[in-house]
Amino acid sequence: MNSLSEESVGRALLNAVAGISAPPESRWFPDRRARSGARMAIVAVAAATLILLSGIAITAVPRTVPASPGDPFSVADEAAWAQVRLTFPSAVILRPTWVPDEFKRTGSGDCPSPTASVQNANGTYAVTYLGTLIRMPPGSKNAQACTRVEVKTLIVTPEDSFYGVQLVDVAPINARGTTVRVRVGPRVSDVNGQPHQLIYMNWLEAGTSYELNTLDVNLADLARVLRSLEPIK
Amino acid sequence: MEAGVDRVRWESAYRGAFLQVYRGLVAMGARPDEAEDALHDAFLKGLERSTSTPISSVGGWIFVVASRSWRRRRIRDRLILPWTLMTKEEAPRPDEAQPDVFVALRALTLRQRQVLVLRFVIGMSQEETAELLDIARGTVAATTHQAIAAMRIRMEVAR
């Protein structure tokens, strides 16, 4: 009976997966990331040089982010942005030169920071500065989350990236030569009754859609992050 | 694999395995873009890996590496997304009609899903599955048995 069960379920599974349509073959290989050995070596040398020069620049010109060259946060921060740059060599990548103090640390096992997320399939990236872990009351849909400041680009509409959550428009901000749309999410209480809120900004800059969002950073500080964004080389 | 021809061989092997692994990942619950990215990660890891330890089953190896990559990304995404944004379930497309077998499969643990996909979608034997997941053959057999039983119950209830 067991082998018959296995066989029938296995056959049902095989039949069902046959109906899953695959992406076109042009998308099977990570062409943006996969490079020949020689090219990879050149890129690696270039990246090392870039990181070295960044370290020199940081020493010469005081910056809030990274805090100081060589410390764990700076190393992680450089690595996160270098990963984005290596993946998207020709994109205009905006990096904050200021984030609130509580995010200038490497985070914890629960909230490792900063974290780079590169979605090769749709050509987007996000670098997230994570803060403290928040635990939600029992019965909540999500047990926990991290406070954060996140910078990202999008190719989908911003609304889509937020899964349709109800965001409320507040006064837009004039910055970066354009109007930045600002929205806030609902206030939610954690297990200790402390309130938390999402703030979400998005704008178009030189034809690219950018997004900046935060959990638990006030609007004034998020605006400062916004204004501190600079393209990286 | 030997140096020189490694890349061509690996590309060919990867191309041959892509379709089944992609379908296996989506069947397990990965969104299409996640499955693509996970496969890309596995492809790159295959290029980077040591040539001294040959891969006995390319499809199985790619699947295991890709499924781990997908899972890591899922854990990370879940953790850092504010809960106010987490309004959808893990399944790929909410508006997509899913066969009962997928619904039942996705209700299983990750290990159970890996074992079933390796066995029935990728076509690995119990021995190969055990080697790929670094578990005992008896564990593969037991996991398969338990997973099938759970799926059958779920599928019958669904009907």
Side-chain angles (χ1 to χ4, degrees):
Chain A
M1 180 183 168
N2 284 341
S3 72
L4 189 61
S5 299
E6 281 191 17
E7 202 175 297
S8 59
V9 174
R11 202 180 306 117
L13 186 56
L14 203 52
N15 289 339
V17 297
I20 296 173
S21 54
E25 206 166 328
S26 60
R27 298 217 309 258
W28 288 14
F29 290 87
D31 54 350
R32 272 179 294 208
R33 281 189 290 178
R35 298 172 170 88
S36 69
R39 191 173 164 208
M40 186 62 99
I42 292 168
V43 171
V45 170
T49 307
L50 179 67
I51 291 169
L52 183 63
L53 290 176
S54 302
I56 293 168
I58 289 159
T59 311
V61 183
R63 289 160 56 110
T64 315
V65 178
S68 61
D71 71 72
F73 172 78
S74 298
V75 171
D77 196 36
E78 290 298 333
W81 290 102
Q83 182 190 344
V84 176
R85 171 47 81 212
L86 281 172
T87 309
F88 302 113
S90 58
V92 177
I93 295 164
L94 297 180
R95 175 182 178 177
T97 54
W98 184 87
V99 293
D101 283 345
E102 62 264 36
F103 295 99
K104 285 186 285 186
R105 58 189 183 85
T106 51
S108 60
D110 289 325
C111 304
S113 180
T115 303
S117 172
V118 178
Q119 298 189 20
N120 212 50
N122 61 15
T124 65
Y125 68 81
V127 175
T128 313
Y129 296 88
L130 295 168
T132 52
L133 187 71
I134 299 167
R135 297 189 190 283
M136 297 305 295
S140 301
K141 184 171 178 59
N142 300 98
Q144 55 192 25
C146 300
T147 60
R148 68 176 186 171
V149 172
E150 181 176 75
V151 186
K152 64 198 288 190
T153 53
L154 301 166
I155 57 165
V156 293
T157 61
E159 286 78 8
D160 282 352
S161 76
F162 275 87
Y163 300 109
V165 71
Q166 293 300 308
L167 297 171
V168 177
D169 274 283
V170 296
I173 293 174
N174 289 320
R176 316 198 61 78
T178 187
T179 301
V180 175
R181 187 177 185 188
V182 184
R183 282 175 284 176
V184 297
R187 278 182 180 272
V188 182
S189 295
D190 65 20
V191 70
N192 299 316
Q194 294 298 309
H196 303 278
Q197 189 168 36
L198 168 81
I199 303 178
Y200 173 58
M201 296 177 171
N202 68 290
W203 69 98
L204 271 176
E205 187 169 334
T208 303
S209 178
Y210 293 94
E211 172 189 316
L212 183 58
N213 70 75
T214 181
L215 187 63
D216 278 11
V217 171
N218 63 45
L219 184 56
D221 277 351
L222 192 63
R224 187 172 173 189
V225 175
L226 170 73
R227 293 194 165 94
S228 82
L229 293 171
E230 289 179 5
I232 62 171
K233 298 214 166 133
Chain B
M1 290 190 292
E2 296 168 5
V5 290
D6 279 356
R7 187 181 177 96
V8 176
R9 277 189 192 169
W10 179 243
E11 281 187 5
S12 172
Y14 171 84
R15 192 186 301 275
F18 184 96
L19 199 56
Q20 284 305 82
V21 175
Y22 176 86
R23 287 172 167 165
L25 290 169
V26 172
M28 280 177 66
R31 293 195 312 264
D33 63 310
E34 291 176 331
E36 272 185 57
D37 268 348
L39 269 152
H40 292 174
D41 283 345
F43 174 77
L44 293 176
K45 281 197 171 67
L47 279 181
E48 292 161 3
R49 72 189 294 278
S50 165
T51 56
S52 59
T53 49
I55 298 172
S56 57
S57 162
V58 173
W61 187 88
I62 292 174
F63 172 77
V64 170
V65 172
S67 65
R68 285 176 182 156
S69 170
W70 165 62
R71 200 62 194 164
R72 275 197 301 274
R73 179 173 158 181
R74 265 292 164 97
I75 291 168
R76 174 200 165 276
D77 286 351
R78 277 194 159 188
L79 193 60
I80 68 170
L81 271 176
W83 61 89
T84 47
L85 311 181
M86 300 289 287
T87 56
K88 286 187 177 173
E89 293 297 332
E90 197 172 281
R93 302 262 184 234
D95 54 344
E96 193 177 283
Q98 298 294 336
D100 288 349
V101 66
F102 287 168
V103 175
L105 181 71
R106 288 166 189 161
L108 301 176
T109 66
L110 177 66
R111 173 51 54 86
Q112 288 175 327
R113 282 181 279 168
Q114 282 179 319
V115 167
L116 290 193
V117 170
L118 277 168
R119 295 277 286 108
F120 299 118
V121 178
I122 312 294
M124 298 290 102
S125 66
Q126 283 192 356
E127 290 82 359
E128 288 169 325
T129 302
E131 189 186 335
L132 285 162
L133 295 176
D134 198 21
I135 55 178
R137 182 185 164 181
T139 307
V140 172
T143 304
T144 305
H145 177 76
Q146 290 159 4
I148 292 284
M151 280 184 73
R152 282 179 63 83
I153 290 169
R154 200 171 183 95
M155 289 164 73
E156 280 162 12
V157 168
R159 289 190 184 105

